[in-house]
Structures are given as structure tokens and as C-alpha cells.
Amino acid sequence: MSHPLNAVQHEAVRYLDGPCLVLAGAGSGKTRVITQKIAYLLKECGYSARHVVALTFTNKAALEMQERVHKQVSADLTKGLMISTFHSLGVRMLREEALHIGLKPQFSILDSQDALAIIQDIVATTDKGRLRNIQQTISLWKNQLVGADAAARLVKTENEREAATVFASYSATLTAYQAVDFDDLIMLPALLLRTNDDVREKWQNRVRYLLVDEYQDTNVCQYELVRQLTGARAMFTAVGDDDQAIYAWRGATIENLAKLQTDYDSLRLIKLEQNYRSSQTILAAANQVIGHNPKAFNKKLWSEHGTGEAISVTAFDDDAQESQSVAMRISAARFEKQSHWRDFAILYRGNHQARIFEQTLRQLNIPYTLSGGQSFFDKTEVRDVMSYLRLIANDNDDPAFIRAVTTPRRGVGQSTLHALGTYAGGRQISLMAATFEEGVSVHIPDRQLEPLRTFATYIQRLQWRAEHEKGEQAGLLLDDLLKTIGYEAYLFDANDERAAQARWQNVLDLRDWLKKKATDADMSLLDLVQHIALVTMLERNEDETPDAVKLSTLHAAKGLEFPHVFLVGVEEGLLPHQGREEDESLDLDVAAQQKIQRIEEERRLMYVGITRAQRSLHLTWCKKRKRAREELVREVSRFVKEMGLNEPNIEVDTHATLSPKDRLGMLKALLQPKK
């Protein structure tokens, strides 16, 4: 942004007399306020960088903040400055304070897939939906600072009762493995600060000023972490927007914004209402929609960008027509407006809606990028094979050991790993190292210990080869590994033939890529593993703005902006999303309240979608939409009616699915000057 700070932004940056809540509407320059405040603290207020911490929710947001701060402040003043995610701060705290909570400093961090595998072993089912529901319930409890014992006392439904039982076993398993999951990275530090006076004082002295971005997305756990870190001094700035709170499903609570007012009597509330992104027409529609929600804080976005283009609403017979028309309109608008492909975004409620738009864009040779798609290196079969390679490269990698020793099955169950983990934790060594110690035989019977040692010995043999063999020989090692562990047979035993073939092909693609890389660059397998780690990191931090149309869910689009936005599938059942069927065991009043809250969150999601648009906004919906083999009749979303648009803006497109000739004709028509 080239404009100077407006009066309200300037107040937010300069206020240092106590706790401060900056209520920042969409496109109001909140990131600029945060980075300018950091610069102000370091350059003009005498704060040492090591005493300033800024927290956000994504690595991308943290990186953007770092880059902006470094443009404003010299390197010598930023040394020790911490701008990170909540989870990165949690990791740092746990590494330093591990012994206070019974962990070794090099504890393992399990990702969601590894954690799900443990839950699957406990429940002994292949029902993925059931397993993910249990995992999500446990996650929500942890986000609310509820442990396994407390959860068992709070259960209200049969599903919760099962989840509480699994929670107890799951927690014991993590302890035995000397491991934590993603939620623990915040819950454990929050509990530690609450209960340990010395540790709390130490971190309060370290964090003299705290800035928190996207405060409306914090959960109970994160709120407690902030409260304990800032203590009685309460020197912090929280930046958030209650109208963009869209993560209740993963534990975020919008009440945290209002709670600040009750917990901190001296809280200064500053509202950023000037929008620097969108036209007044777009903002008026956004204000109208969100006005139907109850308000914790009153604010109204406004802009100096003028009225702008009218918002269009178009109805289609089905999603084939919808995708064809949207693609053609984008193609025409790009030509007409002399724009780039990256100026256009197609936003939708659910990932499943992307498929037909991908097909249509490919047919028309329109480049696109897809947000939220699964990385090749995140596929289960690729991660399985990579766990072996990770362990070969680093035998202290406990999550890799757990995954590799149990995939495929080789007679090592959870009880054996539980005993091994308990022993390793007591000795403060890795699971791999514990396998070979004589003392472990006291805890694990010989018949259970034998497959463990056979596996570990095999890994050691591969480690020697990986260190000494390069190029083509390293490639042969991969062939030997896949053959020895019988991974192909394992896939075909565990999946139907079609799925197994697809997964095995991914494994072969990984193998061939690694073999080629090893041969071309004369790399060892150890070099290759390090190379893959770098590749995956780069993959997740690659340029987000290639010249391509952006396909994205509304959740993934938060924080982004585009000159032209097509918000598709704006119909009842999709936006607002129908949601899960209510648990029959719930009280009727509770169920009704949950439904109201769900609609309010969906309305905030609509608000987020509208406010991604800078210059033009196009809404589309379908009169009929297929679900499985059933064709459902749809109605336009209630949110469209709430936008307060004039009826003449609502169009109906009843074209049949377009042939190539029709497409050309439509494109020509779209390019004709408007009368």
C-alpha cells in the first residue's frame, strides 16, 4: 500500500498504554498496522527485538509479516524478533521446557495421519468417517483445554462416549511414544504456564510485547496461552474481525473477542472500517449480508474506490452450464479488460465443486491453480515409503520408525510399541536405539521383541548401503526395499484393485523420480532424503501468484483478494451448507441453537467470499444439481436475497451445454460492445 496511515490506523500503531483490540474489517490494512507497530516498538520505543513476539496462523502470513518488517527496520534491530505461528511458538516452548512435562527435548511431533493411525489401531475399524469424527472430537476437547479424564465426565452422546474412551488410550500411547500431536503444541504450553510459576515468569519476562493476528480464529487454548504470556502487564495488541470468524468447526470461538472486554477493564477498542480493496457496491452488499448476524461490535466498511460495477447473479439449469458460462465469461473479460488470468478467481463452498470447473478450464486451455489440493508427498502411499527413507537417514525419527515398523504389518502391535516407547522415554533415547538395548527385554517378551529387532537390523543394513552407494546403486536400493517389505502386495491386500493400482503407480513414480535424481546428480540415498525435504518445503512455499485462474474454497481464500471474483454454487444446501444431520440424542433446544450458529457462520463465510472481490463480483447458482445418482432441485441462497441487490441484476442463463461452435459464438457475443 502506498497511501499513508489513516488516523485510525495511526492510533492503533501508537497505542501502548495497555491491552488493545483492533477490530479490522476486510481489506482495512490490518497486516500493515501490525508490521508498522512492530517497527514502531523497535525503532522508537526502545523495545529489544527478542522481547517482541507476533503470532499468526499460517507460515505464509508469518513470512509476509517478516518481509514487511525487514523492509522497515534494519537487520541489527530485528535480531531475535519472533514472528511465527502459534504452533511454532509452542514447539519452541516445549523444546525448552520438555522436562517439566515429562518429555525428552527431542520429542516427536505426529501429524494428523500418524495420529489417525494410532486411533485406528485403538478402535480396530476401517471406517474412515468414524475414525475422523473421533479424531476431530478429541481435537476439539484439546482446543478447549479438556484432557482425557475431564472429557469422560463431560460426554453427552454415545459418539462422545466412544471418543472419550479412545482419548484415554490415545493419550497414554502418545506419552509412551514420547510424542505430541498438533493440538498438544498449544495445549501443553498453555497448561504449563498456568501451573508452573517459574516457567510462567520466565516467559512473561521474555515476551514484553505480544501482537496477535486473526484473533477471531483463536480457540480457548490459544486465548489461555495469550493470557498467561502477557500476565498482569497485559501489553498486547490483538487484531481480528468478528465478521470473518469461519473456523468454529475446528474449535475457534468468536467469543474470544468479546471476552477481552470482560477480562481486561482497560482494553482500548479501535475500529478499522475504511476498506482499501473493494468498490462501494461490493462493500454495500457485504454490509447488508453480515448485518443479518447478531453483532458483538458494530462496524460498517466503506471505501473511496467509487461505486464500481454492478454485482451479477445468474441462474443455470445445471453445473455443466454453470462451469461453461463462467469459463467463457472469464475468457471474454480477460480479453476485454486486457487482464491477466491471475486476476480471476472461482470460489466455492466445498472441494467437490472444483472438479467440473477443472474439466471445463482444461477443455478451453485456460490455466488454473487449485488451492487445497493434496500434495504428491502427502499421499498415504508416498508417506509410507518415505517413512523408511526418513528412518534410514535419521534413526532418531520416532514417527518414521512407528510408521515404517507397522506398514506393512509385521507382528508389531500397539502394546509392543507402547512398552518400547515407555522404556525409550525413561532412557531419553530414540525408539530405534531402545530396540537394541538389553534392558528392554525386561519390558517386552522375546516373541514380541524379535520382529522389532529384525526390522531395526534391516534398517541398519540399509543405512550402511545408503551411506556408501551412490547414483545407480542408490536406485537399486529402492527396488530392493520395496521388494523386501512387500509393499505392492500390501496395497493390493488393503485396497480394491483399481485403488491399489493407482497407489502403486504413485509409488513407482516416486521410485523412478528418485532413481533418476540419484543417477543424474550422483547422489546417495541420504542426499536424496534431504533433497526431498527441501522439495516438499519449497512446494508448500511456491509462488502463489502464477498467471492462472485461482480455484479455491471460501475457507482457503480468506486473506486473498482478486480483481474479479466468480462466487459459484450460491444456493441453499451448498451456501449455506446443509451440514451434518443433528445428533438425535441432543436436546431439541440445543440442536436448534447449533443450527442457528451454523447459519451465522455460513453467513460470515459468504461475507468473506464477497469481500475477496476488488472490482467485479459475479454470483452463480443452479436450479438442479446432482448428488450421487439423485438430481436435486435447488433454490437460490438466502444470502443473495440478503445482499439487497436490485432485481434487474438477476439474470437467468438457460443455454444448453455448449458445443465448440456454440462456445465460439458465445465468446464473440460476450466481446461485443455493450449498448
Side-chain angles (χ1 to χ4, degrees):
M1 291 182 187
S2 57
H3 59 83
L5 291 174
N6 64 42
V8 186
Q9 289 173 328
H10 188 270
E11 181 189 1
V13 167
R14 298 282 172 146
Y15 185 77
L16 290 175
D17 292 337
C20 179
L21 171 60
V22 180
L23 205 64
S28 63
K30 67 178 180 64
T31 304
R32 189 175 186 222
V33 165
I34 293 172
T35 53
Q36 290 267 18
K37 189 154 193 170
I38 294 171
Y40 178 62
L41 289 166
L42 301 182
K43 291 167 66 175
E44 298 185 43
C45 302
Y47 274 83
S48 168
R50 68 178 186 275
H51 293 315
V52 177
V53 175
L55 298 177
T56 187
F57 283 83
T58 66
N59 289 322
K60 182 183 174 186
L63 186 63
E64 182 186 352
M65 283 189 196
Q66 287 169 3
E67 290 172 348
R68 290 201 193 186
V69 169
H70 287 304
K71 286 179 181 178
Q72 300 176 61
V73 185
S74 61
D76 59 317
L77 288 179
T78 58
K79 191 175 181 181
L81 175 67
M82 186 176 183
I83 301 176
S84 78
T85 63
F86 273 94
H87 293 92
S88 295
L89 173 64
V91 171
R92 180 178 293 194
M93 294 177 71
L94 288 182
R95 294 287 185 213
E96 284 192 33
E97 314 299 343
L99 296 178
H100 289 288
I101 49 178
L103 288 171
K104 60 185 182 185
Q106 292 306 308
F107 59 84
S108 302
I109 302 170
L110 302 185
D111 64 24
S112 64
Q113 287 196 34
D114 291 330
L116 192 65
I118 294 173
I119 292 171
Q120 183 169 5
D121 281 334
I122 295 169
V123 182
T125 181
T126 57
D127 185 340
K128 293 294 184 185
R130 181 181 166 195
L131 291 169
R132 294 201 182 279
N133 283 339
I134 292 171
Q135 186 180 36
Q136 187 177 20
T137 303
I138 292 172
S139 176
L140 289 173
W141 277 327
K142 287 191 175 188
N143 290 336
Q144 294 165 7
L145 285 174
V146 174
D149 292 342
R153 296 191 296 270
L154 293 173
V155 295
K156 294 178 181 175
T157 67
E158 283 304 315
N159 289 341
E160 288 181 349
R161 188 165 284 105
E162 179 184 35
T165 303
V166 174
F167 193 2
S169 299
Y170 174 70
S171 297
T173 302
L174 290 187
T175 301
Y177 288 176
Q178 286 284 288
V180 299
D181 64 19
F182 204 57
D183 297 312
D184 289 329
L185 296 177
I186 299 172
M187 184 183 77
L188 292 177
L191 291 175
L192 180 61
L193 291 178
R194 179 194 281 180
T195 56
N196 190 307
D197 295 343
D198 292 339
V199 173
R200 182 171 63 252
E201 185 178 356
K202 168 187 168 182
W203 281 93
Q204 285 180 355
N205 285 330
R206 184 176 298 185
V207 182
R208 302 289 178 85
Y209 202 93
L210 181 68
L211 302 101
V212 186
D213 189 22
E214 304 287 6
Y215 201 78
Q216 77 282 346
D217 294 336
T218 57
N219 55 39
V220 171
C221 208
Q222 288 157 334
Y223 186 94
E224 181 66 7
L225 186 65
V226 169
R227 199 171 73 85
Q228 295 294 342
L229 280 173
T230 55
R233 283 199 306 266
M235 293 298 287
F236 67 84
T237 294
V239 182
D241 183 5
D242 54 329
D243 292 332
Q244 297 188 74
I246 57 174
Y247 293 114
W249 52 275
R250 69 183 189 194
T253 173
I254 194 171
E255 283 77 21
N256 280 352
L257 285 168
K259 199 168 184 305
L260 286 173
Q261 291 184 304
T262 57
D263 287 355
Y264 299 95
D265 294 335
S266 61
L267 182 75
R268 172 66 70 91
L269 176 63
I270 299 172
K271 298 178 185 179
L272 304 184
E273 296 173 294
Q274 183 175 358
N275 175 285
Y276 293 93
R277 175 186 300 159
S278 308
S279 70
Q280 192 57 47
T281 295
I282 292 168
L283 294 182
N287 287 331
Q288 286 273 46
V289 168
I290 206 64
H292 287 77
N293 272 2
K295 306 288 281 185
F297 307 93
N298 287 315
K299 72 174 189 307
K300 198 167 186 177
L301 294 181
W302 60 276
S303 169
E304 293 180 340
H305 287 330
T307 305
E309 296 181 29
I311 297 169
S312 71
V313 183
T314 310
F316 297 92
D317 284 342
D318 56 36
D319 58 1
Q321 293 176 17
E322 182 183 44
S323 66
Q324 290 273 5
S325 179
V326 168
M328 294 300 295
R329 288 178 183 220
I330 288 173
S331 187
R334 175 177 172 266
F335 181 83
E336 184 185 352
K337 300 176 186 293
Q338 294 295 295
S339 303
H340 300 283
W341 292 120
R342 63 175 173 267
D343 294 335
F344 299 87
I346 302 172
L347 308 182
Y348 38 80
R349 178 62 177 83
N351 276 310
H352 66 279
Q353 293 170 257
R355 182 172 169 271
I356 193 162
F357 286 97
E358 285 192 83
Q359 289 175 345
T360 304
L361 292 172
R362 283 199 299 266
Q363 287 170 1
L364 295 173
N365 294 317
I366 296 175
Y368 68 89
T369 58
L370 185 66
S371 282
Q374 189 183 40
S375 158
F376 177 75
F377 291 99
D378 284 335
K379 295 182 184 296
T380 300
E381 58 276 13
V382 173
R383 288 165 60 85
D384 285 345
V385 176
M386 285 302 304
S387 68
Y388 284 85
L389 303 184
R390 284 166 47 199
L391 188 59
I392 292 167
N394 174 19
D395 55 23
N396 287 320
D397 190 335
D398 285 349
F401 181 95
I402 293 165
R403 189 171 190 130
V405 81
T406 56
T407 312
R409 296 283 181 193
R410 50 176 55 83
V412 178
Q414 287 298 320
S415 60
T416 303
L417 286 172
H418 193 290
L420 181 66
T422 302
Y423 177 81
R427 295 273 294 123
Q428 297 284 296
I429 56 176
S430 70
L431 296 175
M432 182 85 167
T435 303
F436 293 108
E437 289 205 347
E438 287 296 325
V440 77
S441 59
V442 176
H443 304 271
I444 302 175
D446 288 345
R447 70 182 169 79
Q448 292 175 299
L449 193 54
E450 184 183 355
L452 271 176
R453 286 181 169 168
T454 300
F455 169 78
T457 302
Y458 174 63
I459 294 296
Q460 283 188 329
R461 214 162 45 243
L462 290 180
Q463 284 177 324
W464 186 91
R465 288 183 62 184
E467 191 174 348
H468 293 86
E469 298 175 0
K470 289 187 175 183
E472 191 175 341
Q473 290 297 313
L476 292 175
L477 190 155
L478 290 167
D479 287 326
D480 292 346
L481 169 65
L482 292 172
K483 184 178 179 181
T484 302
I485 68 174
Y487 194 75
E488 183 180 11
Y490 161 74
L491 284 178
F492 279 87
D493 286 343
N495 303 273
D496 63 57
E497 187 171 353
R498 188 174 177 181
Q501 285 175 343
R503 292 186 170 186
W504 179 239
Q505 188 58 53
N506 286 332
V507 172
L508 294 179
D509 289 346
L510 173 69
R511 180 203 65 183
D512 294 345
W513 181 75
L514 288 171
K515 287 172 76 169
K516 187 176 187 303
K517 197 73 185 175
T519 303
D520 292 351
D522 197 31
M523 297 169 80
S524 71
L525 199 62
L526 300 184
D527 296 330
L528 278 175
V529 174
Q530 291 175 341
H531 177 72
I532 290 170
L534 181 60
V535 167
T536 54
M537 282 190 292
L538 291 174
E539 187 178 72
R540 287 166 185 154
N541 292 298
E542 62 186 353
D543 182 14
E544 293 287 335
T545 56
D547 191 22
V549 176
K550 185 75 161 182
L551 293 181
S552 175
T553 63
L554 288 167
H555 283 99
K558 187 168 173 285
L560 305 179
E561 57 186 40
F562 307 91
H564 312 287
V565 168
F566 288 79
L567 185 47
V568 302
V570 187
E571 58 210 46
E572 292 293 310
L574 271 179
L575 186 63
H577 189 252
Q578 191 170 333
R580 296 181 192 168
E581 291 185 14
E582 304 296 345
D583 194 322
E584 291 181 1
S585 60
L586 284 178
D587 178 88
L588 288 176
D589 289 338
V590 173
Q593 187 59 35
Q594 286 185 354
K595 187 175 181 179
I596 290 170
Q597 290 173 348
R598 179 174 59 76
I599 294 296
E600 289 174 359
E601 175 141 336
E602 292 289 304
R603 187 174 284 114
R604 292 193 290 271
L605 198 56
M606 179 73 177
Y607 174 85
V608 166
I610 294 170
T611 54
R612 298 314 91 196
Q614 296 171 305
R615 289 159 49 193
S616 74
L617 175 64
H618 309 274
L619 311 182
T620 68
W621 66 283
C622 297
K623 298 173 185 178
K624 292 180 181 177
R625 194 176 291 271
K626 284 185 179 178
R627 190 176 69 183
R629 296 181 180 179
E630 190 180 3
E631 193 170 69
L632 303 176
V633 176
R634 297 289 198 177
E635 294 180 3
V636 67
S637 170
R638 70 191 75 182
F639 301 150
V640 173
K641 299 171 185 175
E642 292 173 1
M643 290 169 70
L645 304 176
N646 297 322
E647 287 297 321
N649 288 328
I650 300 179
E651 308 167 10
V652 177
D653 192 318
T654 55
H655 289 101
T657 302
L658 299 172
S659 68
K661 185 177 179 181
D662 291 334
R663 282 194 211 114
L664 183 60
M666 183 177 171
L667 184 58
K668 287 179 177 176
L670 287 167
L671 292 174
Q672 291 299 316
K674 294 181 176 62
K675 294 180 180 179

